[in-house]
Amino acid sequence: RGPPRTTFLDDIVQQADASDAPDVVLWGLVRLRADAASAAAPGLDVRIASAALAVGDTALALEAQTRLARSLPPGSEERRRVIADLIRVESRQGAPGTLRQRYTGFRTEFPTAPELDELAALVASGIAGAGEASVALELLGDPTPGPRSMLERGYLRLSSGESEGGVADLEAALSGL
């Protein structure tokens, strides 16, 4: 460990990136992160998250994004963006309880965030896709953050047999899309 190892790993990452070898890039970044000083860690976490997604390692990407979010000041714009990206990735396969908790925490910390509507729709879709449509509908409750979440709520209500409410949500969503 130390400067020679860091230089060696940096060189490997650069060569692997230039050679379009994303698995090697990720390997090198993870090793660099393990050796990194705390000041360098957030920058490496950004790179690890991106590289992990490039090779399809969603779990490692989520882990890096979570570390990055924890390192940022609460309420900051950068933290808001990082957590929103984390929710976007996690919404595809996250556990319903985790998704709901992550979205609720985001909404509490950033009550006027422009991403709320998009994230509510994604999280509700992920929760419903996991077989918990009633929980998804509860998350979208009244009022929904915007037209995307209203559209998702309309689809969920229609699929659960609430024809009138579903159609009303779909019509209301149209004006904002």
Side-chain angles (χ1 to χ4, degrees), residues 96-155:
T98 302
L99 290 175
R100 184 181 179 129
Q101 180 181 28
R102 188 119 28 211
Y103 173 75
T104 302
F106 181 86
R107 188 180 62 208
T108 300
E109 186 173 348
F110 306 103
T112 60
E115 301 93 346
L116 279 175
D117 182 37
E118 171 200 3
L119 296 177
L122 288 172
V123 167
S125 178
I127 291 171
E132 297 191 28
S134 62
V135 174
L137 274 168
E138 183 181 316
L139 177 101
L140 293 175
D142 260 331
T144 57
R148 288 182 183 174
S149 51
M150 181 74 73
L151 185 66
E152 183 64 27
R153 188 172 76 180
Y155 290 142

Side-chain angles (χ1 to χ4, degrees), residues 50-65:
S50 178
L53 287 175
V55 300
D57 191 339
T58 308
L60 185 57
L62 290 171
E63 182 182 309
Q65 285 286 88

Side-chain angles (χ1 to χ4, degrees), residues 38-55:
S38 60
L44 286 168
D45 283 332
V46 169
R47 294 174 66 195
I48 289 169
S50 178
L53 287 175
V55 300

